[in-house]
Amino acid sequence: MEQNKVGSHKNIWHGVGRQRIEIPRSVLKSRIQNNVLLKQLYICGLGYYPRATNHYTYRKKGLPENFLFYCVDGHGFYKIGDKRHEVSPGQCFLLPQNVEHAYGSSEHDPWTIYWLHFGGSVLPNFNALPIVQKHFKPNTVRSSNEMFALFGKIYKSLELGYSIDNLLFANMCLSHFITLFIYNQKHFVASPAEKIDCIDSAILFMQEHINENITLNELSHRYNYSPSRFSSLFKQRTGYAPIDYFIQMKMQKASQHLGITDKSVKDIALSMGFDDPYYFSKRFTKVMGMSPTKYRSVTRD
């Protein structure tokens, strides 16, 4: 009987305090994988294992889905292929789909973990993202009440059964839950003492100087990179060249002025650092898909 089991059995940990829900394969197939709103990214299961003594799982071929683990206490490890990683409190990691893996708790200080098993048609694209690949290694994240509250909402919703409303609610929460880990820093306001990377710092610098003109040389010099190297790093992170990104930020700010003020297009152009209103209009149209005058008329209809 289950109450007599201790440790891992058939890839499932059995112990005091365990919380675990696995969506039946029949439900995944009939209600999720055929649903246009859910099939791209969906929950397969989730759980909470406190002080998971003798927890261990090995899968030769991995799984067709991803796993997200968050260790809140104790220690453990995991392996992706033949690469082993040690896990400490406050760290999270992702196991990608279809890759040999193993994981388990420390013998002397067993971990306490929250885990989420998720699949979807977009997983290959998701796993190709640099920010996701970064989390194939242990990453220390800042804890928040929102993490545990959202986990609890998802869990309680699925506990009430697999109605379409429960499935929609839980799975619409999924993307946000994942961002709490892979985009952890974005959920907090950085203090002056905290160090942020050069790309995030550059974007904040752009925002602070949105009314000015900044050159690529200025930006690259500020962060001690050559212009080509800085551009490469910036584009890898954002998908845009630095100055193109800065222009987009300017046009976003200009669109706000067009929508909520009566300033002329010329005055708005000048406030964004453009001496030539015609050039400003050209750049605005390219970014926003319509001229400043048209944008103003549409947003005030």
Side-chain angles (χ1 to χ4, degrees), residues 31-83:
R31 296 205 162 195
I32 293 177
Q33 293 170 346
N34 292 324
N35 187 306
V36 68
L37 293 176
L38 299 177
K39 65 181 181 180
Q40 294 187 13
L41 196 68
Y42 55 81
I43 297 167
C44 300
L46 73 165
Y48 168 70
Y49 291 172
R51 299 288 295 172
T53 304
N54 298 324
H55 181 210
Y56 176 77
T57 294
Y58 168 72
R59 297 184 179 93
K60 175 68 176 177
K61 297 182 179 180
L63 286 171
E65 302 87 22
N66 280 13
F67 259 107
L68 169 67
F69 289 80
Y70 179 36
C71 176
V72 295
D73 193 26
H75 292 80
F77 77 94
Y78 68 99
K79 293 177 70 176
I80 296 179
D82 59 359
K83 180 66 174 178

Side-chain angles (χ1 to χ4, degrees), residues 6-152:
V6 177
S8 291
H9 301 269
K10 295 182 179 179
N11 297 320
I12 300 172
W13 180 76
H14 297 263
V16 176
R18 182 187 77 166
Q19 294 180 317
R20 179 178 179 274
I21 290 177
E22 283 283 349
I23 310 299
R25 288 287 172 183
S26 59
V27 174
L28 291 176
K29 185 175 181 179
S30 64
R31 296 205 162 195
I32 293 177
Q33 293 170 346
N34 292 324
N35 187 306
V36 68
L37 293 176
L38 299 177
K39 65 181 181 180
Q40 294 187 13
L41 196 68
Y42 55 81
I43 297 167
C44 300
L46 73 165
Y48 168 70
Y49 291 172
R51 299 288 295 172
T53 304
N54 298 324
H55 181 210
Y56 176 77
T57 294
Y58 168 72
R59 297 184 179 93
K60 175 68 176 177
K61 297 182 179 180
L63 286 171
E65 302 87 22
N66 280 13
F67 259 107
L68 169 67
F69 289 80
Y70 179 36
C71 176
V72 295
D73 193 26
H75 292 80
F77 77 94
Y78 68 99
K79 293 177 70 176
I80 296 179
D82 59 359
K83 180 66 174 178
R84 180 183 171 107
H85 302 276
E86 303 299 324
V87 182
S88 301
Q91 292 187 321
C92 74
F93 64 92
L94 283 166
L95 295 177
Q97 64 178 162
N98 302 323
V99 176
E100 179 184 15
H101 64 243
Y103 52 85
S105 62
S106 164
E107 180 180 353
H108 303 293
D109 186 21
W111 63 12
T112 294
I113 55 170
Y114 289 83
W115 58 266
L116 181 75
H117 177 199
F118 62 99
S121 61
V122 300
L123 276 192
N125 308 85
F126 178 82
N127 289 339
L129 295 172
I131 189 67
V132 171
Q133 293 179 357
K134 177 182 175 184
H135 288 79
F136 295 163
K137 295 180 180 179
N139 269 261
T140 299
V141 296
R142 186 187 298 185
S143 179
S144 70
N145 291 334
E146 188 177 8
M147 290 175 175
F148 306 112
L150 191 55
F151 181 92

Side-chain angles (χ1 to χ4, degrees), residues 4 222 234:
N4 295 323
R222 180 179 178 84
F234 195 96

Side-chain angles (χ1 to χ4, degrees), residues 174-194:
L174 172 60
S175 293
H176 181 57
F177 185 76
I178 292 172
T179 71
L180 292 170
F181 296 92
I182 66 172
Y183 286 110
N184 184 254
Q185 288 186 343
K186 289 186 178 292
H187 289 277
F188 299 91
V189 177
S191 70
E194 288 182 303

Side-chain angles (χ1 to χ4, degrees), residues 242-297:
I243 301 306
D244 288 342
Y245 196 91
F246 187 41
I247 294 296
Q248 285 193 6
M249 293 177 69
K250 283 178 174 288
M251 297 310 155
Q252 181 190 73
K253 190 69 175 179
S255 69
Q256 294 171 9
H257 287 303
L258 287 164
I260 64 175
T261 76
D262 293 320
K263 292 181 180 178
S264 68
V265 172
K266 181 180 179 180
D267 286 343
I268 293 173
L270 288 171
S271 73
M272 292 295 103
F274 290 85
D275 294 330
D276 184 348
Y278 297 102
Y279 180 66
F280 165 79
S281 294
K282 183 178 179 180
R283 296 305 298 261
F284 186 95
T285 301
K286 183 176 181 181
V287 172
M288 304 301 294
M290 63 184 73
S291 70
T293 303
K294 177 69 173 177
Y295 184 89
R296 171 169 274 168
S297 67

